[in-house]
Amino acid sequence: GGGTSPLPPDAPYDYYDVLEKTILFFEAQRAGVLPSDNRIPYRGNSATEDGQDNGIDLTGGWYDAGDHVKFNFPMSSSLTLLAWGVLDFKTGYVQSGQYDWALKQVRWGLDYFLLCTQDISQNKYWFQVADGYDDHAFWGRPEQMTMFRPSFAIDAALPGSDVSAETAAAMAAGALIYRDEGDNAYASQLESAAIALYDYAYTYRAKYSDSMSDVVTDFYGSTDYTDELCSGALWLYRLTQDDKYLEYAHEFYSDEAAW
């Protein structure tokens, strides 16, 4: 495995090895210009022009599953869970020798979400790059893609509380990590973006797949947004200790909530 500390001799599974392969999975999904410490030999730079159709930079992030679309709904959920584990189980990551690698993957996703929220002051959030149908018609490596990769945004007229609130949760979790790491500048940047994105999600309410049904319903449609508004509020409360977020969480939590 990838661990630096020996496991107990009676351990049934090598969880250090599991953690290492988990992080390697995320590394293999990276889009954009890869860093010099890339450990996936068959991966290179790809999708380096994402966002240029709208005159912005949306490079980076992770590809989805076995295709090369960047869907922020599952990506934000994945990043929230990854960051949560890194935050609450840091000792295990450190003992297994995977903490620094895990932190790099958390940062990779967070940097991308900061690009996606670059226009949030205008109530615009870039939530997807590439067309799922055009992407699925291509069977090959992302490094060899030539198809047009459009970028899509939700806004005040066509909102998406679910994907926005879940991304806010991921950024709030990330801010907690980097605050603990002593990188207060990056933590503050994430906190500001998370607050603005959650405010947008709370104010302009709709399922993003209703607003953008032609490009997302067939891939990652949403059934409700109350669960994301609740969990996003909880993460922001943990980060800011502002009681209004706890009130929001209670507002959206019920036995009939989306979960």
Side-chain angles (χ1 to χ4, degrees):
T4 57
S5 302
L7 286 165
D10 59 345
Y13 303 107
D14 186 350
Y15 286 110
Y16 293 166
D17 189 49
V18 173
L19 269 182
E20 180 181 43
K21 286 180 170 58
T22 298
I23 303 306
L24 285 170
F25 170 82
F26 284 100
E27 286 190 34
Q29 298 295 103
R30 286 186 298 190
V33 178
L34 301 185
S36 59
D37 62 0
N38 167 48
R39 299 184 292 175
I40 311 296
Y42 55 85
R43 277 288 168 262
N45 298 342
S46 62
T48 57
E49 297 181 356
D50 282 357
Q52 288 188 11
D53 60 312
N54 282 293
I56 57 175
D57 177 12
L58 290 175
T59 56
W62 296 313
Y63 295 122
D64 177 73
D67 55 43
H68 306 127
V69 184
K70 296 193 298 197
F71 292 108
N72 285 24
F73 199 29
M75 193 192 304
S76 60
S77 175
S78 298
L79 183 54
T80 301
L81 290 169
L82 180 62
W84 193 357
V86 171
L87 180 66
D88 283 1
F89 299 99
K90 178 178 178 178
T91 301
Y93 278 93
V94 171
Q95 288 178 349
S96 64
Q98 298 306 312
Y99 182 72
D100 289 342
W101 292 112
L103 208 60
K104 288 177 181 179
Q105 284 314 296
V106 169
R107 178 85 181 227
W108 191 265
L110 293 172
D111 283 349
Y112 175 67
F113 285 152
L114 285 171
L115 292 177
C116 292
T117 55
Q118 60 189 279
D119 296 319
I120 195 59
S121 62
Q122 287 85 49
N123 293 315
K124 179 180 285 189
Y125 169 57
W126 300 94
F127 72 95
Q128 181 175 323
V129 177
D131 180 293
Y133 290 105
D134 288 345
D135 179 87
H136 286 188
F138 168 74
W139 187 254
R141 304 169 69 239
E143 294 84 357
Q144 297 171 315
M145 292 186 297
T146 59
M147 79 285 281
F148 175 58
R149 290 173 57 84
S151 47
F152 301 96
I154 47 179
D155 54 26
L158 294 168
S161 302
D162 30 32
V163 64
S164 304
E166 187 61 41
T167 305
M171 298 174 96
L176 284 160
I177 291 173
Y178 281 95
R179 192 167 68 187
D180 288 348
E181 287 294 303
D183 191 341
N184 292 323
Y186 191 58
S188 295
Q189 188 180 8
L190 291 167
E191 180 176 347
S192 296
I195 288 172
L197 190 55
Y198 187 87
D199 184 59
Y200 160 76
Y202 184 89
T203 304
Y204 303 98
R205 297 183 197 174
K207 294 185 293 184
Y208 88 119
S209 50
D210 285 347
S211 296
M212 296 284 171
S213 58
D214 58 328
V215 293
V216 303
T217 296
D218 289 347
F219 299 95
Y220 289 101
S222 176
T223 57
D224 204 343
Y225 53 75
T226 54
D227 49 340
E228 286 86 14
L229 283 172
C230 180
S231 61
L234 288 170
W235 275 108
L236 277 166
Y237 177 66
R238 180 170 175 177
L239 175 63
T240 66
Q241 296 298 299
D242 187 334
D243 286 339
K244 77 175 183 180
Y245 293 114
L246 192 58
E247 293 170 5
Y248 291 162
H250 282 293
E251 177 183 346
F252 293 107
Y253 177 79
S254 74
D255 292 338
E256 292 79 38
W259 47 70

